[in-house]
Amino acid sequence: MKAWEIRGAFGLDHLEPVERPDPEPGPGEVLVRLRAASINYRDFLMVEGRYNPRQPLPLVPCSDGAGEVVSLGPGAERLAPELRVGERVMPIFAQGWLGGEPRREAVRTTLGGPLDGTLAELMVARAEGVVPVPEHLSYEEAATLPCAGVTAWNALAETGSVRAGDTVLALGTGGVSIFALQLAQLLGARVIVTSSSPEKLARARELGAWEGVDYRAVPEWGKRVRELTGGEGVDHVIEVGGGETLPRSLQAVRAGGTISLIGVLSGRPTELDVAAILMRSIRVQGVLVGSRQSFAAMNRAIAQH
């Protein structure tokens, strides 16, 4: 099979096409022929060596993909009775995280590091480590769901418990934030989106955003968001920026609200107003993608809506 590997050292110059022997599924495993893969910021950091500098090499990168089941290993039917040869599936991000809270052992089973990922023609996954593709989605569409989609769903519908009538702030127009824009509306919430691009804000409004804020034109965008909500603040923030944006997110969220801390695109925090969190009873929740159970719940919601 053909694949891409990070070989010898980190960096894009060390991401190379290779040929590997076709893998065979072992007990409790399935072989998947991948038809599409998508790229997240984590994948870029992994290739550059900035996500885990101690990651053993060579490594097939990328965590998201979609394809069809080629064959089942011994006992796979017992673990996942619904699986059939030819079925379209997506691998879950953490192969060992089937449900409940994340455990140390489960988060060591993530695709694209430490396990080989989806930038290959064939991959072996656990029988319980794949979920069916919603019928109406193409392979390319489905390949965007396992990380960005599940992260947004977990932040909003599960750990965040967003309800109809809530207001959600999504930072930027990256993968997680655009999924949050769509899924929050599915849950009955209204969404405010930030961006430095008027064109992207216009596109977000086409996708259903209630309001948009240009954070370059309005540097104090946290205060502007509070103004849009009548001085109350939003119920939930999808926080993908990290160090530079978190203080503004604390301004934007209401007392008793939730900030889902998902990314560090702007860097790691150096100073944080802990008093603002304490005195206003704000919940800051780290979100690490989600389990197989979360993935399946999101797929049902996507298929129904």
Side-chain angles (χ1 to χ4, degrees):
M1 70 169 185
K2 295 177 181 178
W4 287 81
E5 285 183 352
I6 312 168
R7 297 178 61 84
F10 291 106
L12 290 172
D13 291 342
H14 296 277
L15 182 61
E16 302 176 8
V18 299
E19 289 191 358
R20 288 184 167 193
D22 288 358
E24 293 289 337
E29 296 179 335
V30 296
L31 180 64
V32 177
R33 182 173 300 280
L34 291 156
R35 299 297 186 182
S38 68
I39 301 174
N40 292 294
Y41 191 59
R42 175 186 186 269
D43 303 317
F44 172 69
L45 293 179
M46 186 68 74
V47 172
E48 289 283 287
R50 290 188 282 154
Y51 190 87
N52 179 11
R54 295 185 297 275
Q55 167 66 44
L57 300 177
L59 173 73
V60 176
C62 291
S63 306
D64 291 14
E68 74 265 4
V69 175
V70 176
S71 60
L72 304 174
E77 302 96 328
R78 186 168 62 253
L79 295 173
E82 72 281 1
L83 278 184
R84 298 289 184 275
V85 171
E87 182 169 5
R88 300 194 310 149
V89 296
M90 302 163 287
I92 66 175
F93 173 60
Q95 288 283 292
W97 187 11
L98 303 182
E101 296 182 353
R103 300 295 180 187
R104 187 163 179 254
E105 297 77 14
V107 298
R108 289 179 169 180
T109 63
T110 53
L111 298 179
L115 304 184
D116 280 337
T118 58
L119 215 58
E121 291 182 311
L122 294 166
M123 73 174 295
V124 168
R126 299 185 185 189
E128 297 172 296
V130 298
V131 295
V133 172
E135 290 184 5
H136 69 290
L137 295 182
S138 67
Y139 283 121
E140 291 80 5
E141 291 168 332
T144 68
L145 292 176
C147 285
V150 176
T151 299
W153 175 262
N154 187 13
L156 295 169
E158 300 195 8
T159 59
S161 301
V162 168
R163 300 177 179 85
D166 283 355
T167 302
V168 173
L169 171 63
L171 302 191
T173 53
V176 172
S177 294
I178 290 299
F179 269 117
L181 168 59
Q182 297 174 89
L183 294 172
Q185 292 177 86
L186 181 154
L187 297 168
R190 62 182 184 177
V191 185
I192 301 172
V193 173
T194 68
S195 176
S196 61
S197 165
E199 293 77 17
K200 289 181 180 180
L201 288 175
R203 177 63 176 141
R205 289 189 176 94
E206 291 176 6
L207 291 172
W210 173 60
E211 290 284 358
V213 178
D214 185 331
Y215 61 79
R216 283 195 179 153
V218 186
E220 294 292 327
W221 51 265
K223 294 180 180 178
R224 176 58 181 152
V225 169
R226 291 187 70 86
E227 291 171 2
L228 291 172
T229 57
E232 182 69 17
V234 299
D235 300 283
H236 200 115
V237 180
I238 299 298
E239 170 56 77
V240 297
E244 291 185 12
T245 57
L246 188 53
R248 297 284 184 266
S249 293
L250 287 169
Q251 291 177 332
V253 72
R254 69 167 172 83
T258 298
I259 296 176
S260 285
L261 187 57
I262 293 165
V264 289
L265 297 179
S266 70
R268 301 179 185 275
T270 54
E271 294 184 8
L272 185 63
D273 186 1
V274 177
I277 298 173
L278 297 174
M279 299 304 293
R280 296 173 56 222
S281 191
I282 295 168
R283 179 181 179 226
V284 180
Q285 168 75 50
V287 177
L288 175 67
V289 191
S291 67
R292 185 186 195 277
Q293 189 176 34
S294 296
F295 201 164
M298 181 192 71
N299 287 342
R300 289 194 298 271
I302 288 174
Q304 290 177 13
H305 289 267

